[in-house]
Amino acid sequence: MTAWEPPDRPRSRLAYCCPEKMAEDREPPPLADAVQTDFREVEEGEDLFVSTVSTAEQLSPTSPEPASFPAEDISTNSNGPKQEILLDDDQEDLFAEATEEVSLDSPEREPILSDGPSPAITPVTPTVIITPRVDALFDRSLDEDEEAEENGDTFDMQITVSDPEKVGDGMNAYMAYKVTTKTSLSLFSRNEFSVKRRFSDFLGLHSKLASKYMHIGYIVPPAPEKSIVGMTKVKVGKEDLSSAEFVEKRRSALERYLMRTVNHPALVKDPDVIQFLENTELPRAVSTQALSGAGILRMVNKAADAVNKMTIKMNESDAWFEEKQQQFENLDIQLRKLHASVESLVCHRKELSVNTASFAKSAAMLGNSEDHTALSRALSQLAEVEEKIDQLHHEQAYADFYLFSELLGDYVRLITAVKGVFDQRMKTWSKWQDAQVMLQRKREAEAKLQYANKPDKLQQAKDEIKEEIEEWEAKVQQGERDFEQISKNIRREVERFEKQRVKDFKVVIIKYLESLVHTQQQLIKYWEAFLPEAKAIA
Amino acid sequence: MMQEGLDDGPDFLSEEDRGPRAVNVDLQTDATLQVDISDALSERDKVKFTVHTKSTLPNFKQNEFSVVRQHEEFIWLHDSFVENEEYAGFIIPPAPPRPDFDASREKLQKLGEGEGSMTKEEFTKMKQELEAEYLAIFKKTVAMHEVFLCRVAAHPVLRKDLNFHVFLEYNQDLSVRGKNKKEKLEDFFKNVVKSADGVIVAGVKDVDDFFEHEKTFLLEYHNRVKDASAKSDRMIRSHKSAADDINRIASTLYTLGTQDSTDMCKFFLKVSELFEKTRKIEARVAADEDLKLADLLKYYLRESQAAKDLLYRRGRALVDYENANKALDKARAKNKDVLQAETTQQVCCQKFEKISESAKQELIDFKTRRVAAFRKNLVELAELELKHAKGNLQLLQSCLAVLKGDT
């Protein structure tokens, strides 16, 4: 496992990790490689309004040019006016606006969780919004997963999401992301390829997977959340640090989402997934919009489900399920609590960074006005130390966030998906029971017919009933089979999920602790340099 | 004796010299008169300080004795110095700030109210923390009162003051009441007049370069210290908040550890333990920064104000002197009341020269003290920061070693 490495310095430029450099190996790239690019802000169209116009032309396909990283000009691809964001040096703005993630209650998220691979999170470059690359956590070469062996080839797949680009203008603008896949799996036609996708494409993918697999008990990884506030800022063209942060947060989340999805042995083979990764053009996922017909249908279904959940009282014959559900319930509560505390820590550390910077300036001023030369010098040195320390806090806050907080957030959503799967099992059981009830009724009806008085209609009715009975017997059998199948699937999925969870947490927590180690080492360095200066005051 | 800190780890006050706790002031400990606060008791809304004196001076009946004093009596003593014309040429040691436990008490109360909503462990933990905070504030206020007394005891003239001796020796209540409303109002107006006057006086250009320089220097310095003091307070508060968060994280990790059915339980428990320890260190870092940096700045904020006050008094005397000169010239010209004018002029002259002479020395001493105090505190700050960072590092590394070994 690679140690967490300290991020690079420059604060004002949005440095972005260059995907090509990732290409070299699947090890987390040392962040020293971070290339500074001009960050182009692209606006993602979070359409609340149904638009049937296929804006396929906006999905400007990137002609495969992975090798030449267009560090300067992606201009050829984007249809919209490009906007360069020049981040100012003003640190005060840094956290001036907390970007509130308002998640539209998107039904797509309700499904399932993936027991997919955990997000590989690499250290963050503090240089403003660099997020950890999703990587080595997904490094399966070390993993003795039996599914990988089933495939024949060892799992070898690396997905990166990069180059957010604003396409279009005004409220219809949206953000396009480049999705690059590197793999040796035979499922794919090439070893390396990339496409352009927009946020709703990801949601569309998730929606399809959920509808296909959720009801048979597969934990489908939830897609990242929609955010009205965040996206509106981006659309409106607000080119400040907080929208840049928002885009980076989203980019990272999308990457983790894809990696989790493809790490699921069944999902990676799914044609929709393959199409998503490979096809240069994708039909626009219109039904992900909240107010579309499909959207409304989803909302209705969701409400119905909620009601059902309350009314279905399942006779749990299998203690395993009861126990597991309780465990997940408890885990959910604790993870949410932990997540909240970590978010608070991130916030306070950012605050600490800002306040330390402000104190540094003040100390420098004090040093200037001090008329004793040696003391004056020492105070200036103190100011410098504090300035370096504020940088340190800033970096640590990023590590807090991208390593720890995002992991927790992902898992809170994943557990919602797990709970969804358990609910599906309940629904399946309920359907089976209903079928049994129907069958019973039909049999009673048949019995009644035996004692009926109208001989001429009797035979016809008897035949009908017999048919219906056969029909319902089949349904009952199917119901039982479905129930057993989903139970079996869930057991397997949960096992894989837990294994993955353990792995994820261990890796991330260790990386996080390494970041803390680094911070302390730097602190020691700075104070050791200062001490002689303080002693030199005569 | 005062309770020691509840946390494990060195009591941060014990790192200072055990004599007069000259936190922010570097004072010679002089055998002829040593003053310290040996004990303190916090009651409902007041603090009782036990002032302990050791002296070989003949003025006192015994060589060693103690009395109990409250905050108001310190203020009385300070004010008596300020009002004493004889001391106009000295930097009067700044009065210690009033002990303020309100915030802490409020928090403890809120905690008591919220007892039902948290687990027993959480409650005990938070209670311990609040108690530690209360104790820290308590120690600070004791230190600040002590420093005031030590400054007085170290001053060649002030130490002989009669009020001071009464303060030290008289073992009954000094019956010093706090100012009533009328007096407070009077004070308020006095201050307004003084500030206005201060502006006028400050405007008078001084022939003496030394004082002119000091005037400009002190003005700027005072403002910048004020700013630095405020900013350092904010920085330290953020630090404390972050430590609190880590505390909560540790608790939740602990719960997760006890609940988890997988391999993770040991992991979580170990990390929870780690965070418990690191957050104690973080809290200690914040406390030390508070003591060595924030308090230092606050103290010099008050002292620089006292120095400014001295300059004001001198300026006032200068203006009076110049006015007396003008009056004398006028009287001579009119040949009326010349003798009276001459006497006034002489008195003003003497007063001015006396103040100037001692002021110069005081200001030089002020600088020496300031440099020494900053040096001491900055060195100690750096040493403590290093100590804590190393402690933290060691904890983190050993935990990592264990965790990686298990994986």
Side-chain angles (χ1 to χ4, degrees):
Chain A
M1 187 165 354
T2 30
W4 185 85
E5 281 164 26
D8 276 343
R9 275 269 342 195
R11 282 164 81 131
S12 55
R13 306 273 298 169
L14 180 64
Y16 210 81
C17 288
C18 168
E20 272 62 32
K21 303 226 169 147
M22 304 301 171
E24 268 43 343
D25 48 280
R26 283 202 312 275
E27 301 291 39
L31 280 169
D33 277 344
V35 166
Q36 295 198 357
T37 17
D38 288 326
F39 175 74
R40 265 159 257 270
E41 204 163 9
V42 181
E43 292 175 341
E44 164 77 46
E46 290 302 14
D47 308 320
L48 293 180
F49 308 102
V50 180
S51 136
T52 47
V53 174
S54 163
T55 45
E57 78 275 359
Q58 287 178 0
L59 280 177
S60 23
T62 5
S63 34
E65 80 237 319
S68 64
F69 182 61
E72 304 318 309
D73 264 314
I74 318 197
S75 41
T76 40
N77 298 330
S78 166
N79 285 348
K82 265 168 324 308
Q83 297 162 31
E84 251 164 295
I85 295 181
L86 296 165
L87 303 171
D88 28 302
D89 273 2
D90 189 355
Q91 306 164 234
E92 306 315 301
D93 273 352
L94 206 62
F95 310 110
E97 293 153 271
T99 316
E100 289 292 307
E101 282 279 86
V102 172
S103 58
L104 252 199
D105 201 0
S106 125
E108 286 90 326
R109 284 197 301 110
E110 141 194 56
I112 323 280
L113 24 113
S114 111
D115 70 350
S118 14
I121 306 203
T122 21
V124 183
T125 306
T127 316
V128 195
I129 343 246
I130 291 256
T131 21
R133 296 313 307 210
V134 174
D135 74 332
L137 274 184
F138 293 106
D139 178 9
R140 299 290 223 129
S141 52
L142 310 161
D143 194 7
E144 289 105 42
D145 205 275
E146 69 277 13
E147 264 99 339
E149 280 149 34
E150 278 168 21
N151 282 347
D153 18 29
T154 46
F155 185 84
D156 165 21
M157 194 152 176
Q158 177 81 357
I159 301 188
T160 49
V161 173
S162 58
D163 307 324
E165 213 175 44
K166 181 172 173 181
V167 176
D169 227 343
M171 289 309 286
N172 288 330
Y174 64 90
M175 204 65 113
Y177 301 86
K178 181 167 156 185
V179 177
T180 310
T181 315
K182 270 171 229 149
T183 177
S184 60
L185 290 178
S186 48
L187 290 165
F188 299 93
S189 48
R190 288 171 288 170
N191 276 4
E192 189 174 325
F193 45 91
S194 60
V195 294
K196 282 267 193 200
R197 293 284 176 256
R198 52 185 293 185
F199 186 69
S200 54
D201 294 335
F202 290 80
L203 294 182
L205 174 66
H206 176 261
S207 167
K208 288 188 204 145
L209 293 177
S211 61
K212 279 198 250 187
Y213 295 102
M214 188 172 83
H215 67 274
I216 51 173
Y218 283 24
I219 302 174
V220 174
E225 296 178 357
K226 285 190 190 182
S227 162
I228 304 180
V229 174
M231 274 325 297
T232 313
K233 271 204 207 148
V234 170
K235 281 192 222 241
V236 160
K238 201 155 185 241
E239 294 171 1
D240 66 354
L241 225 41
S242 67
S243 23
E245 271 182 32
F246 167 79
V247 173
E248 178 50 31
K249 188 172 162 196
R250 169 158 290 186
R251 184 209 63 77
S252 170
L254 289 174
E255 198 172 84
R256 294 196 303 271
Y257 163 67
L258 284 180
M259 283 303 285
R260 283 210 177 93
T261 305
V262 300
N263 266 274
H264 191 297
L267 296 182
V268 72
K269 297 187 211 153
D270 184 286
D272 281 321
V273 171
I274 297 177
Q275 190 186 51
F276 180 91
L277 293 174
E278 278 191 330
N279 291 21
T280 42
E281 298 227 1
L282 213 59
R284 175 94 185 281
V286 163
S287 65
T288 59
Q289 289 145 7
L291 296 182
S292 64
I296 295 186
L297 189 61
R298 270 195 301 274
M299 284 194 258
V300 168
N301 282 339
K302 198 167 178 213
D305 281 348
V307 170
N308 279 341
K309 198 167 162 181
M310 291 189 283
T311 53
I312 297 179
K313 180 73 187 84
M314 180 167 158
N315 294 335
E316 186 57 78
S317 52
D318 193 337
W320 184 92
F321 281 89
E322 207 170 304
E323 198 185 301
K324 277 299 167 190
Q325 269 186 291
Q326 189 56 50
Q327 277 175 8
F328 279 115
E329 197 60 44
N330 293 343
L331 188 61
D332 189 33
I333 295 173
Q334 295 305 320
L335 283 184
R336 278 176 202 270
K337 214 163 141 198
L338 189 60
H339 188 216
S341 297
V342 174
E343 284 190 318
S344 173
L345 177 64
V346 171
C347 178
H348 285 133
R349 244 204 256 275
K350 282 182 177 176
E351 207 178 86
L352 178 59
S353 167
V354 168
N355 287 342
T356 308
S358 137
F359 172 71
K361 287 203 185 105
S362 184
M365 296 278 280
L366 186 62
N368 278 347
S369 65
E370 172 60 64
D371 62 352
H372 184 273
T373 358
L375 179 55
S376 169
R377 192 175 51 236
L379 284 171
S380 307
Q381 307 273 4
L382 179 68
E384 270 179 41
V385 167
E386 294 288 352
E387 203 185 308
K388 290 194 199 133
I389 291 180
D390 102 67
Q391 238 326 51
L392 212 55
H393 286 310
H394 182 87
E395 289 165 18
Q396 185 60 63
Y398 266 94
D400 290 345
F401 181 71
Y402 281 106
L403 286 174
F404 211 176
S405 179
E406 286 284 76
L407 172 78
L408 292 170
D410 284 349
Y411 266 88
V412 164
R413 280 196 301 277
L414 278 169
I415 291 196
T416 312
V418 174
K419 291 208 266 187
V421 153
F422 278 99
D423 288 346
Q424 283 295 321
R425 177 173 171 270
M426 219 163 63
K427 256 165 75 173
T428 311
W429 178 84
S430 173
K431 204 161 143 200
W432 175 29
Q433 296 304 309
D434 288 348
Q436 281 184 325
V437 165
M438 275 312 276
L439 179 62
Q440 185 60 21
R441 268 195 221 148
K442 296 293 175 193
R443 286 204 173 125
E444 281 168 10
E446 187 190 37
K448 262 200 222 152
L449 276 184
Q450 303 289 6
Y451 303 103
N453 290 338
K454 299 207 176 130
D456 46 324
K457 288 204 178 147
L458 193 58
Q459 196 50 43
Q460 186 192 24
K462 272 196 185 163
D463 290 339
E464 267 178 34
I465 273 288
K466 270 224 163 52
E467 264 176 45
E468 284 178 6
I469 289 184
E470 273 171 26
E471 190 189 316
W472 282 101
E473 274 174 349
K475 283 196 181 154
V476 166
Q477 280 178 2
Q478 184 60 44
E480 187 174 1
R481 268 201 302 273
D482 285 346
F483 181 71
E484 273 167 22
Q485 185 61 42
I486 196 178
S487 299
K488 193 163 121 215
N489 285 348
I490 291 182
R491 274 180 190 268
R492 202 185 53 220
E493 287 282 286
V494 165
E495 201 181 302
R496 134 195 294 277
F497 176 79
E498 291 285 77
K499 241 171 50 189
Q500 195 60 51
R501 174 168 76 89
V502 168
K503 187 156 158 253
D504 278 356
F505 270 78
K506 281 189 178 173
V507 170
V508 167
I509 288 183
I510 286 182
K511 275 222 161 83
Y512 179 63
L513 292 184
E514 284 174 347
S515 82
L516 293 174
V517 163
H518 174 260
T519 300
Q520 295 303 316
Q521 285 170 331
Q522 288 299 103
L523 275 176
I524 290 175
K525 215 168 82 179
Y526 297 150
W527 286 109
E528 274 178 349
F530 176 71
L531 189 55
E533 298 290 339
K535 288 189 169 154
I537 303 172
Chain B
M1 199 49 225
M2 269 187 289
Q3 286 172 289
E4 296 300 54
L6 296 166
D7 322 349
D8 42 42
D11 178 357
F12 54 82
L13 269 190
S14 68
E15 279 153 37
E16 291 151 39
D17 14 27
R18 257 296 146 190
R21 295 199 195 90
V23 186
N24 298 314
V25 190
D26 191 35
L27 297 169
Q28 310 335 33
T29 43
D30 178 355
T32 53
L33 180 60
Q34 275 179 327
V35 184
D36 66 276
I37 296 184
S38 58
D39 198 1
L41 204 64
S42 165
E43 284 180 5
R44 209 53 301 245
D45 51 354
K46 47 186 175 217
V47 182
K48 294 203 166 116
F49 303 96
T50 304
V51 178
H52 168 251
T53 314
K54 247 184 166 154
S55 173
T56 54
L57 291 176
N59 321 53
F60 300 107
K61 295 196 197 88
Q62 298 164 299
N63 280 358
E64 192 168 343
F65 48 90
S66 294
V67 295
V68 176
R69 291 284 172 249
Q70 287 183 39
H71 176 73
E72 286 76 22
E73 291 163 314
F74 286 77
I75 299 301
W76 165 80
L77 183 61
H78 170 262
D79 289 350
S80 76
F81 292 153
V82 171
E83 286 157 14
N84 190 334
E85 283 275 333
E86 289 293 306
Y87 302 147
F90 303 145
I91 296 182
I92 308 293
R98 198 181 71 85
D100 182 12
F101 295 101
D102 292 341
S104 194
R105 224 177 266 133
E106 214 181 282
K107 277 197 223 171
L108 266 169
Q109 198 174 18
K110 253 197 233 159
L111 179 67
E113 284 165 12
E115 183 171 356
S117 67
M118 50 181 102
T119 69
K120 189 127 202 311
E121 291 99 28
E122 275 174 16
F123 179 74
T124 348
K125 235 203 215 179
M126 288 221 64
K127 184 150 167 280
Q128 271 181 355
E129 268 167 57
L130 284 181
E131 283 174 351
E133 199 180 296
Y134 192 93
L135 189 69
I137 298 178
F138 188 72
K139 280 183 175 167
K140 259 214 250 182
T141 192
V142 166
M144 292 196 275
H145 283 75
E146 193 180 71
V147 155
F148 169 71
L149 292 178
C150 294
R151 277 272 275 126
V152 175
H155 194 283
V157 176
L158 292 176
R159 77 204 317 234
K160 301 190 197 130
D161 183 83
L162 188 60
N163 283 340
F164 183 48
H165 289 184
V166 168
F167 178 94
L168 288 177
E169 206 178 15
Y170 187 60
N171 55 13
Q172 310 260 351
D173 193 358
L174 286 175
S175 298
V176 168
R177 56 175 176 73
K179 298 200 170 150
N180 64 19
K181 264 202 207 145
K182 176 157 172 278
E183 284 163 347
K184 282 194 183 151
L185 202 57
E186 281 174 7
D187 269 354
F188 175 72
F189 280 121
K190 259 198 244 167
N191 275 334
V192 171
V193 168
K194 182 171 160 224
S195 332
D197 195 30
V199 173
I200 297 170
V201 162
V204 173
K205 177 94 168 83
D206 207 320
V207 274
D208 191 331
D209 278 341
F210 175 81
F211 285 105
E212 192 55 34
H213 164 80
E214 286 294 311
K215 212 172 20 170
T216 337
F217 163 71
L218 270 175
L219 192 60
E220 193 186 55
Y221 188 79
H222 178 81
N223 288 338
R224 294 200 177 169
V225 164
K226 202 192 279 183
D227 187 53
S229 172
K231 301 266 164 72
S232 76
D233 278 346
R234 253 187 280 165
M235 177 175 79
I236 290 167
R237 256 203 305 275
S238 298
H239 215 138
K240 286 203 183 114
S241 304
D244 285 341
D245 286 326
I246 299 180
N247 196 15
R248 273 189 286 272
I249 291 174
S251 296
T252 317
L253 281 174
Y254 180 78
T255 316
L256 272 170
T258 51
Q259 275 179 358
D260 204 292
S261 56
T262 67
D263 220 14
M264 283 306 291
C265 58
K266 274 183 297 186
F267 207 86
F268 280 143
L269 287 173
K270 196 87 188 57
V271 178
S272 165
E273 194 189 321
L274 169 72
F275 281 161
E276 273 288 342
K277 296 197 186 122
T278 60
R279 84 117 194 130
K280 281 206 174 97
I281 295 187
E282 287 298 327
R284 187 53 63 73
V285 170
D288 285 340
E289 284 177 349
D290 197 18
L291 207 62
K292 301 293 172 190
L293 195 56
D295 278 357
L296 174 73
L297 292 170
K298 280 200 199 82
Y299 185 80
Y300 277 94
L301 181 61
R302 296 201 299 278
E303 271 248 24
S304 59
Q305 182 61 50
K308 274 169 75 179
D309 289 343
L310 170 63
L311 280 181
Y312 162 72
R313 289 195 294 270
R314 179 179 169 280
R316 177 82 256 153
L318 178 60
V319 168
D320 289 344
Y321 180 35
E322 286 179 350
N323 289 345
N325 274 340
K326 287 191 199 131
L328 180 59
D329 288 342
K330 243 207 290 198
R332 284 203 178 127
K334 286 193 194 155
N335 208 355
K336 188 176 166 202
D337 292 324
V338 172
L339 193 59
Q340 192 183 43
E342 268 178 358
T343 347
T344 319
Q345 191 258 20
Q346 259 183 11
V347 164
C348 286
C349 174
Q350 271 171 359
K351 183 172 172 201
F352 172 68
E353 281 174 357
K354 182 172 170 215
I355 292 183
S356 282
E357 195 182 312
S358 67
K360 191 163 192 167
Q361 191 53 51
E362 289 277 312
L363 287 167
I364 293 173
D365 286 345
F366 173 59
K367 181 158 162 177
T368 320
R369 269 202 313 275
R370 182 174 81 241
V371 171
F374 268 79
R375 182 187 188 284
K376 177 171 187 284
N377 279 42
L378 287 178
V379 167
E380 285 177 359
L381 175 71
E383 287 174 343
L384 284 168
E385 293 269 4
L386 268 173
K387 174 168 157 225
H388 294 316
K390 287 185 178 154
N392 243 341
L393 181 64
Q394 205 244 347
L395 282 172
L396 285 165
Q397 280 173 331
S398 65
C399 181
L400 261 175
V402 170
L403 292 178
K404 280 187 181 167
D406 276 349
T407 323

